[in-house]
């Protein structure tokens, strides 16, 4: 059983210790409600660019070499990610090096230099990252389905942002975004795994060594809210490319309350039986029985205020429309007739087992905890997440299937097609 404690530090940053008995590593993760959906229109790309820039150094570890080499000397894995939901920085190390790792992470993330010269140099690196993404048709398909489903809303914009924004971002603009969004009151620090080497301050007040290091993050006012997710658009979009391979994406809006843990768990099981495993309906029929593709899948995701169900396939262009038609029919059949009890039982066991295996990794638990706390303001206990999947009933999964309107979907495709083919 996970052993969890919580306290709020003087700068407003909540600190969670999640002890996982039997582990030999520790992950430290600090995250903020400062993902791409919190950007203003002219800021698109700023959240991700800022993630890059803080790695250039802080006050003590004041350049990128010191940051990288210090992490390597302690045998630690250091990384970060920016999504529409969050920006997060994390380091995983041997448990006995935890305080050294915390010193490193809080220095360059909590008090970054954001040097103007480094900003100009990194600007070119991120532009290359953007250009590379457009050379990958599968990534372009992801951009296209988001824009098709959400339009000009921040959820419809790519996390990386457009090249022209990267060329014009100033240091003041990037620092301004950080000061507006990186508030501890919409963030969290998570120390997960073997926490035997993490001292606790007097009366668990955060005044000990851990609290002092996390005190490097400034005390900032709570940020403003962000635009609510829009109603999913039922449009079709194609980026034509003269290739033999097509990349198909389909997005539905399940009628699920994202504030209900049980309903999100039922959606996860539905997505698993639809296209989340080798025993799923999509994989069995589209790939195995019909041989229409190598890759076909479904995945569910819940933003703070909207759930989405996405289907995808990479396949020979000559088979794309047949696959698309049959994938839509499978969603409709589940809507009309519901799943079988056997496939729900298999999907439930697979989804819960997959989560158990994922939670053997302290980093996965830390990322889960950050999403639970910052996006949903819910319990971060990993055992509760597994229990939620185990507790879902057949009727609850059937209700999710019935609540997905098979006629209301957005469709995007990269390949030699016309939008009208996906009517």
């Amino acid at each position: 059983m996970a052993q969890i404690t919580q306290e709020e530090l003087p700068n407003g940053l909540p600190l969670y210790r999640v002890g996982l008995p039997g582990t030999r590593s520790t992950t430290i993760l600090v995250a903020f409600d400062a993902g791409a959906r919190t950007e203003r229109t002219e800021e698109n790309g700023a959240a991700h660019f800022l993630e890059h820039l803080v790695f250039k150094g802080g006050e003590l570890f004041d350049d990128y070499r010191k940051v990288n080499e210090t992490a390597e000397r302690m045998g630690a894995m250091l990384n970060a990610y920016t999504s529409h939901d969050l920006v997060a920085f994390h380091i995983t190390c041997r448990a006995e090096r935890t305080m050294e790792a915390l010193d490193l992470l809080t220095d360059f993330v909590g008090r970054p230099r954001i040097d103007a010269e480094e900003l100009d140099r990194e600007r070119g690196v991120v532009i290359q990252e953007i250009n590379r993404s457009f050379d990958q048709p599968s990534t372009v398909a992801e951009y296209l389905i988001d824009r098709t489903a959400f339009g000009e809303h921040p959820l419809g914009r790519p996390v990386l942002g457009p090249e022209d924004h990267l060329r014009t971002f100033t240091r003041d603009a990037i620092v301004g975004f950080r000061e507006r969004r990186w508030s501890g009151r919409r963030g969290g620090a998570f120390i997960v795994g073997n926490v035997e080497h993490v001292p606790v301050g007097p009366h668990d007040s955060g005044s000990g060594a851990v609290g002092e290091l996390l005190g490097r993050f400034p005390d900032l006012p709570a940020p403003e809210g962000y635009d609510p997710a829009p109603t999913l658009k039922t449009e079709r979009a194609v980026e034509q490319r003269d290739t033999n391979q097509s990349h198909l994406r389909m997005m539905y809006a399940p009628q699920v309350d994202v504030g209900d843990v049980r309903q999100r768990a039922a959606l996860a099981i539905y997505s698993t039986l639809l296209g989340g495993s080798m025993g799923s309906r999509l994989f069995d029929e589209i790939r195995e029985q019909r041989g229409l593709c190598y890759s076909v899948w479904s995945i569910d995701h819940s933003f703070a205020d909207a759930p989405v169900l996405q289907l995808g396939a990479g396949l020979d262009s000559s088979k794309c429309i047949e696959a698309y038609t049959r994938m839509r029919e499978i969603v409709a059949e589940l809507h009309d007739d519901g799943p079988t009890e056997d496939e729900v039982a298999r999907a439930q066991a697979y989804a819960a087992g997959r989560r158990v295996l994922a939670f053997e990794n302290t980093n996965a638990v830390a990322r889960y905890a950050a999403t639970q706390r910052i996006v949903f303001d819910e319990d971060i206990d990993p055992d509760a997440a597994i229990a939620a999947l185990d507790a879902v009933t057949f009727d609850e999964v059937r209700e999710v299937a019935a609540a997905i309107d098979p006629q209301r979907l957005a469709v995007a495709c990269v390949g030699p097609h016309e939008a009208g083919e996906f009517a």
Side-chain angles (χ1 to χ4, degrees):
M1 298 289 290
Q3 300 160 351
I4 302 172
T5 64
Q6 174 185 348
E7 62 185 288
E8 185 171 311
L9 303 178
N11 59 2
L13 185 69
L15 168 60
Y16 301 86
R17 294 178 176 89
V18 184
L20 303 175
T23 54
R24 299 174 64 178
S25 66
T26 306
T27 292
I28 303 161
L29 184 148
V30 179
F32 297 98
D33 174 16
R37 77 171 299 181
T38 70
E39 298 166 335
R40 297 165 181 164
T41 302
E42 69 277 8
E43 292 176 329
N44 184 211
H48 173 257
F49 191 33
L50 176 58
E51 175 213 312
H52 275 242
L53 292 173
V54 301
F55 277 86
K56 300 305 179 180
E59 292 185 12
L60 181 61
F61 305 95
D62 58 3
D63 66 46
Y64 70 91
R65 286 193 182 91
K66 290 180 182 177
V67 171
N68 296 335
E69 292 174 3
T70 301
E72 290 172 5
R73 286 193 185 98
M74 66 179 73
M77 298 179 64
L78 179 63
N79 214 328
Y81 61 91
T82 304
S83 66
H84 281 98
D85 302 299
L86 299 171
V87 62
F89 301 85
H90 51 93
I91 185 167
T92 301
C93 60
R94 298 172 62 167
E96 55 268 31
R97 310 298 291 269
T98 300
M99 294 306 293
E100 297 170 68
L102 185 63
D103 182 33
L104 172 63
L105 190 73
T106 58
D107 179 62
F108 77 86
V109 181
R111 48 190 191 187
R113 294 174 60 230
I114 312 184
D115 179 77
E117 184 176 332
E118 288 288 359
L119 184 148
D120 285 333
R121 185 178 296 113
E122 194 67 17
R123 189 194 309 276
V125 172
V126 177
I127 287 172
Q128 291 180 60
E129 183 180 1
I130 293 169
N131 290 335
R132 184 186 68 171
S133 73
F134 284 105
D135 287 336
Q136 300 170 327
S138 60
T139 302
V140 175
E142 295 295 327
Y143 293 165
L144 193 57
I145 189 62
D146 287 346
R147 188 167 71 246
T148 304
F150 296 115
E152 295 303 314
H153 186 275
L155 292 178
R157 301 195 294 247
V159 171
L160 298 184
E163 180 178 339
D164 60 330
H165 283 191
L166 268 294
R167 293 194 180 280
T168 58
F169 283 145
T170 65
R171 183 183 186 279
D172 286 347
I174 294 299
V175 171
F177 177 80
R178 178 178 181 271
E179 292 178 348
R180 198 177 79 243
R181 297 303 317 182
W182 282 30
S183 168
R185 289 161 179 79
R186 288 292 301 147
F190 306 84
I191 303 177
V192 178
N194 184 327
V195 296
E196 295 175 6
H197 300 270
V198 182
V200 177
H203 308 297
D204 204 27
S205 65
S207 60
V210 174
E212 290 177 6
L213 292 173
L214 287 167
R216 292 169 171 174
F217 288 92
D219 186 352
L220 298 172
E224 61 190 12
Y226 41 72
D227 293 340
T231 301
L232 182 135
K233 298 178 183 294
T234 58
E235 297 181 0
R236 306 311 192 244
V238 170
E239 177 160 318
Q240 292 188 333
R241 295 197 179 188
D242 187 16
T243 61
N244 294 324
Q245 186 84 2
S246 294
H247 295 267
L248 173 67
R249 300 292 184 268
M250 302 154 62
M251 188 178 289
Y252 296 86
Q255 298 304 301
V256 169
D257 179 2
V258 293
D260 187 315
V261 175
R262 190 104 168 198
Q263 288 191 38
R264 293 205 312 271
L267 176 61
I269 292 169
Y270 169 85
S271 177
T272 301
L273 70 86
L274 174 63
S277 72
M278 290 194 295
S280 65
R281 288 203 182 189
L282 292 178
F283 192 94
D284 181 71
E285 181 163 343
I286 304 300
R287 174 178 160 151
E288 297 294 348
Q289 292 186 42
R290 294 175 179 252
L292 295 176
C293 65
Y294 171 75
S295 172
V296 63
W297 43 266
S298 69
I299 189 170
D300 63 286
H301 177 75
S302 293
F303 298 104
D305 54 354
V308 294
L309 174 73
Q310 183 171 310
L311 282 61
L315 68 174
D316 187 297
S317 297
S318 66
K319 300 178 180 179
C320 183
I321 303 305
E322 181 184 353
Y324 162 72
T325 302
R326 185 59 193 138
M327 289 164 72
R328 285 194 62 178
E329 289 172 351
I330 290 171
V331 172
E333 288 163 5
L334 284 166
H335 172 272
D336 295 340
D337 305 327
T340 68
E341 291 192 31
D342 178 67
E343 66 184 335
V344 169
R346 282 189 292 107
Q348 184 170 24
Y350 186 76
R354 185 169 51 187
R355 181 155 289 181
V356 168
L357 295 177
F359 284 172
E360 293 292 304
N361 183 305
T362 58
N363 185 276
V365 176
R367 292 172 71 128
Y368 166 79
T371 297
Q372 284 292 103
R373 170 64 183 85
I374 300 170
V375 177
F376 299 115
D377 194 21
E378 291 177 354
D379 186 358
I380 68 170
D381 186 355
D383 297 311
I386 297 164
L389 288 168
D390 286 336
V392 171
T393 67
F394 169 71
D395 285 341
E396 287 172 322
V397 179
R398 185 171 58 183
E399 288 170 6
V400 169
I404 296 174
D405 185 343
Q407 304 304 319
R408 289 193 54 81
L409 75 159
V411 181
C413 188
V414 177
H417 305 285
E418 300 285 346
E421 297 180 69
F422 299 96

